[in-house]
Amino acid sequence: MTASRALRLAGFAVPLFFIGPYAMAGNGTTPVNLGEIEVTGTRVPRPVFDTPTSMTVLTGDDIQFGPPGFSLAQSLARVPGLVAQNRGSYAQDLQISSRGFGARASFGVRGIRILVDGIPETTPAGQGETDIFDLAIARRIEVLRGPFSTLYGNASGGVIQIFTQDGPPQPTLTATAMAGSYGTQIERLGDGGTDGALNYSVDVSHFHTDGYRDHSAAERDHAHAKLRYDLDDESSVTLLLNAENQPYAFDPSGLDREQIMQDPRQAVDSVFQFGAGESHRARQGGIVWRQQIDADDRLYAMGWLGSRRVIQFLPFSGAGPNSGGAVVDLHNRSGGGDVHWTHQGGFYAITGGADYQRLHEARKGFVNDGGEEGALRRNEDDVSSQTGEYVQGRIEFDPWRLFAGVRHSRVTFDSVDHYIAADNPDDSGSRAFSRTDPVAGILYEVSPVLNVYANYGVGFQTPTFDELAYKPNGKTGFNSKLDPSASRNYEVGVKAHPAGGNIRLTAALFNITTDNEIVVAQSENGRTSYRNAGSTRRSGAELTFDAGLGGGFATYVAYSYLDAVFTGARLDGNQLPGVPRQTVFGELSWQYEPLNFETAVDAQWRDRVYVDSANSQAADSYMVVNLRAGFQQRAGAWRLHEYARLNNVFDRSYVGAVIVGSGNGRYYEPAPDRNVMVGISASYVF
């Protein structure tokens, strides 16, 4: 599908969703008031309507009722400007990009900071994981895009904050069971409640799937506990505990275009030969102290520790000189904290604080001897850290609101190579980067239901250890010449709540210029090298429309346009790989309160995605439609919830994710065909 045709389709579809609500609201029923949403993304809780930022908030219904509760990609599809590509491999995690930042990640989440209850799931260098937590325990997800994300430090192309559930007012025990296509099963048991000054929530779950593709089975267990104790009316202490075990997750790897056409469910022979896949376990604990000092001042302090052990088998031998091996043994130990103070005056507020994060990675690499650990090929200790000091404030003088902030960050890398041989010289190295980045935004209240805003900020993104590990063109040694990318971000937008609050409309235009963009230089046999590629420009628009309608109907539309291109001499005019130019998400839902029944249909269209910086190939555009439905019942102390979801209703064959710059030409990771998930949840209130 051409871009011009896509624009015509979007131009038809978006007005249709806008006209539909008004046509349906004319049936004489009362529209649903959507209410105001308060967010904490600027560290000072404010209604999202009154902040000069692009922010999307997903609530419990968006997270849990719609998707089956284990796929963050399905939930994030509602967020404009954000692209979550499901690789179909639990050995590789999601690929998430925000306005094009993070699209080059070959595994995990790159360039976007992820926090769960304030604890960063992103390393100091900007590499993140989403598998430590069970999505079903999330009560709210805030997605911040644009300049203000730079206040969270290095690699803040966007910020995703996940807040887990508190315990309910009364002790409640909940059991959940789900089953679906490809042998997928989920069992979950949760307990929560309030006992005097103690609020508690405990959840354990087990997930298993045989996988859509050959060699893609996985198993995973989660445990989560959140205990808050109110010391008095002005202070509280919260203990956070997370644990995750993944005994196995096989990796089917990518396919080339011809293999996709032959059989998208197949896996290449090498993944069987070398037992490609990953196992890991993670442990994490944190403590949060909140203190209301007086009517105007409050203090927040958080500290955390974590560990993660990963064993990964790559689909090749790794026996060659300077290969680094193809069996990865990685043991991480991390920790850090955040302290900030907030003063709330009559017409202003100010927050100042500091955060620190440290990661120690003990990394070994071995030859993959037909699925068995062979000879040592890599042995190093990598330590990275990020230290940040920040100040941000708000001044209100009706009808104006001014927001501003500044952050100073220092990011360090120190790699010590313990594997030195005749054909493998010392690859030790170190780098340190320091930046001070300002951001400012202004909002004007045109009327009580209409705000316009503008903002500007600068930011930076350092390389990760994986990106520093290898020099381009097969050379050995620490890639000390790889520099951070620096960006300048402009944005203007509008937020409207017409029709008595039952409609929310947001629109934003932005332009981002980046120097020293980090791109894939070469990726082959598990060894990926990176280089700086001059400058890039990201220009785009984002639109959301959310309306509660009469008769129990509601509709939601999110549209994104992103023109992300290289502007340097070598790649001038080429599109950034891994980034679709356009995406559209639309949903129409209906609730029938007499039966406590809810159903919805949603559709997502995504433009084609280039697979490399040369734009030599692309994954085709696609549209996929999903259905869901559910009932809820109450009988005395019992609460029951039955639900079903049908994904890919029309059984479309499409590529769910691409491997950017894959040297073997296997760029494509196919998405599942038509599949179903059904489940039941039962709660007992004591």
Side-chain angles (χ1 to χ4, degrees):
M1 180 179 291
T2 65
S4 60
R5 183 182 176 192
L7 282 170
R8 289 196 298 271
L9 286 174
F12 171 76
V14 173
L16 180 62
F17 274 93
F18 276 72
I19 295 169
Y22 295 101
M24 297 173 67
N27 60 9
T29 59
T30 303
V32 177
N33 190 297
L34 298 177
E36 186 54 270
I37 298 176
E38 190 175 76
V39 295
T40 59
T42 55
R43 289 195 175 90
V44 181
R46 292 289 298 166
V48 67
F49 183 66
D50 294 331
T51 60
T53 60
S54 290
M55 180 174 286
T56 301
V57 181
L58 305 177
T59 63
D61 287 344
D62 302 325
I63 302 165
Q64 295 172 29
F65 180 83
F70 64 91
S71 175
L72 188 60
Q74 290 180 346
S75 297
L76 295 181
R78 304 174 66 90
V79 182
L82 207 71
V83 177
Q85 300 192 82
N86 193 339
R87 304 176 191 271
S89 170
Y90 288 90
Q92 296 293 341
D93 212 340
L94 297 179
Q95 182 189 71
I96 303 176
S97 64
S98 177
R99 295 181 175 177
F101 292 101
R104 72 175 183 270
S106 56
F107 62 92
V109 180
R110 178 73 176 98
I112 300 173
R113 298 206 71 82
I114 301 174
L115 299 97
V116 180
D117 290 326
I119 298 177
E121 304 301 334
T122 303
T123 69
Q127 188 75 42
E129 306 288 343
T130 64
D131 51 25
I132 185 64
F133 60 91
D134 183 354
L135 188 61
I137 63 176
R139 63 179 171 87
R140 190 173 82 254
I141 300 176
E142 297 180 5
V143 182
L144 175 65
R145 308 175 300 285
F148 276 87
S149 60
T150 197
L151 292 174
Y152 287 84
N154 170 41
S156 295
V159 179
I160 300 175
Q161 294 205 65
I162 299 170
F163 301 90
T164 61
Q165 298 172 353
D166 294 325
Q170 297 175 276
T172 304
L173 183 66
T174 302
T176 300
M178 289 185 278
S181 303
Y182 322 124
T184 301
Q185 298 178 10
I186 302 174
E187 298 88 30
R188 182 177 293 113
L189 184 65
D191 187 21
T194 303
D195 185 3
L198 177 66
N199 180 274
Y200 61 94
S201 176
V202 180
D203 186 274
V204 294
S205 65
H206 174 75
F207 166 76
H208 169 84
T209 183
D210 294 334
Y212 164 66
R213 294 179 58 194
D214 296 339
H215 201 74
S216 63
E219 190 166 305
R220 182 179 292 175
D221 299 298
H222 283 104
H224 167 80
K226 181 179 182 181
L227 311 173
R228 188 189 74 242
Y229 188 80
D230 295 328
L231 301 173
D232 51 41
D233 292 339
E234 308 297 336
S235 61
S236 67
V237 174
T238 303
L239 180 65
L240 302 165
L241 299 171
N242 292 292
E244 184 252 357
N245 282 338
Q246 181 172 281
Y248 65 88
F250 299 123
D251 187 3
S253 191
L255 300 175
D256 61 29
R257 184 173 290 277
E258 183 178 348
Q259 290 167 334
I260 285 276
M261 298 298 292
Q262 291 173 347
D263 179 10
R265 302 190 68 167
Q266 69 175 304
V268 295
D269 292 339
S270 60
V271 303
F272 301 99
Q273 179 184 353
F274 295 102
E278 179 183 285
S279 63
H280 60 247
R281 59 173 173 80
R283 303 290 185 267
Q284 187 184 82
I287 187 168
V288 178
W289 176 47
R290 292 180 174 88
Q291 176 71 52
Q292 188 73 39
I293 300 172
D294 54 36
D296 299 326
D297 298 271
R298 62 179 178 269
L299 185 66
Y300 171 94
M302 180 270 292
W304 59 275
L305 293 171
S307 68
R308 181 180 174 90
R309 180 72 183 275
V310 178
I311 305 293
Q312 183 180 26
F313 283 74
L314 300 172
F316 54 93
S317 71
N322 306 316
S323 69
V327 178
V328 179
D329 186 340
L330 185 63
H331 190 186
N332 294 348
R333 295 186 299 275
S334 58
D338 180 16
V339 178
H340 61 260
W341 160 82
T342 299
H343 176 75
Q344 177 72 59
F347 63 94
Y348 70 95
I350 186 169
T351 296
D355 56 40
Y356 175 75
Q357 186 180 1
R358 184 181 188 273
L359 173 69
H360 176 204
E361 298 180 325
R363 181 188 294 266
K364 293 183 178 180
F366 302 88
V367 171
N368 187 334
D369 187 6
E372 300 291 334
E373 183 181 294
L376 181 69
R377 283 293 186 269
R378 186 177 184 181
N379 184 8
E380 64 193 45
D381 280 290
D382 299 330
V383 177
S384 59
S385 68
Q386 177 174 210
T387 305
E389 304 86 31
Y390 54 88
V391 177
Q392 58 195 88
R394 180 186 80 248
I395 300 176
E396 299 185 10
F397 43 98
D398 289 339
W400 299 92
R401 295 175 180 85
L402 176 65
F403 292 68
V406 62
R407 179 186 174 97
H408 174 77
S409 296
R410 176 176 170 80
V411 184
T412 64
F413 299 88
D414 187 17
S415 180
V416 179
D417 189 2
H418 303 296
Y419 180 73
I420 303 171
D423 60 351
N424 191 86
D426 190 346
D427 292 334
S428 300
S430 61
R431 293 292 303 270
F433 308 103
S434 183
R435 289 266 307 193
T436 300
D437 295 317
V439 62
I442 190 167
L443 181 143
Y444 178 73
E445 183 181 305
V446 179
S447 75
V449 297
L450 178 63
N451 288 337
V452 296
Y453 70 89
N455 57 47
Y456 168 77
V458 297
F460 77 115
Q461 182 177 121
T462 69
T464 67
F465 264 122
D466 291 305
E467 293 167 341
L468 292 166
Y470 304 112
K471 292 179 179 178
N473 303 317
K475 297 180 181 179
T476 63
F478 191 80
N479 191 2
S480 59
K481 293 184 178 180
L482 190 62
D483 293 323
S485 59
S487 60
R488 295 165 298 281
N489 195 327
Y490 303 83
E491 181 181 331
V492 295
V494 59
K495 300 180 180 183
H497 285 186
N502 75 302
I503 292 175
R504 295 195 192 105
L505 172 67
T506 69
L509 301 173
F510 61 87
N511 185 72
I512 307 168
T513 57
T514 303
D515 298 323
N516 289 327
E517 187 80 39
I518 300 172
V519 300
V520 175
Q522 186 179 13
S523 180
E524 190 168 3
N525 291 332
R527 177 173 174 150
T528 304
S529 59
Y530 296 83
R531 63 181 179 85
N532 294 111
S535 57
T536 62
R537 184 192 69 248
R538 297 169 170 88
S539 301
E542 296 167 1
L543 174 72
T544 66
F545 177 78
D546 191 4
L549 314 174
F553 284 94
T555 188
Y556 177 84
V557 174
Y559 170 75
S560 304
Y561 174 82
L562 176 62
D563 184 31
V565 297
F566 293 101
T567 55
R570 181 176 176 181
L571 298 170
D572 189 37
N574 285 12
Q575 293 285 319
L576 264 66
V579 182
R581 178 169 288 188
Q582 296 182 92
T583 62
V584 182
F585 176 88
E587 179 185 81
L588 180 65
S589 62
W590 178 58
Q591 289 183 331
Y592 186 61
E593 292 188 2
L595 292 179
N596 286 320
F597 173 75
E598 180 176 355
T599 186
V601 56
D602 67 72
Q604 182 180 5
W605 179 83
R606 185 174 294 174
D607 211 342
R608 66 179 178 179
V609 176
Y610 287 108
V611 300
D612 57 16
S613 300
N615 294 176
S616 62
Q617 294 187 41
D620 296 333
S621 62
Y622 69 85
M623 187 177 76
V624 62
V625 177
N626 309 302
L627 293 171
R628 71 172 192 259
F631 285 93
Q632 297 188 54
Q633 302 90 34
R634 294 188 178 187
W638 287 96
R639 308 287 187 269
L640 298 177
H641 184 192
E642 306 90 9
Y643 41 88
R645 181 176 178 90
L646 180 64
N647 297 307
N648 195 359
V649 174
F650 299 109
D651 203 21
R652 301 298 188 192
S653 179
Y654 66 98
V655 172
V658 299
I659 304 171
V660 173
S662 177
N664 54 27
R666 298 198 297 266
Y667 302 107
Y668 307 105
E669 296 179 290
D673 51 22
R674 185 188 295 118
N675 60 93
V676 65
M677 176 69 70
V678 297
I680 182 170
S681 179
S683 298
Y684 186 84
V685 181
F686 292 91

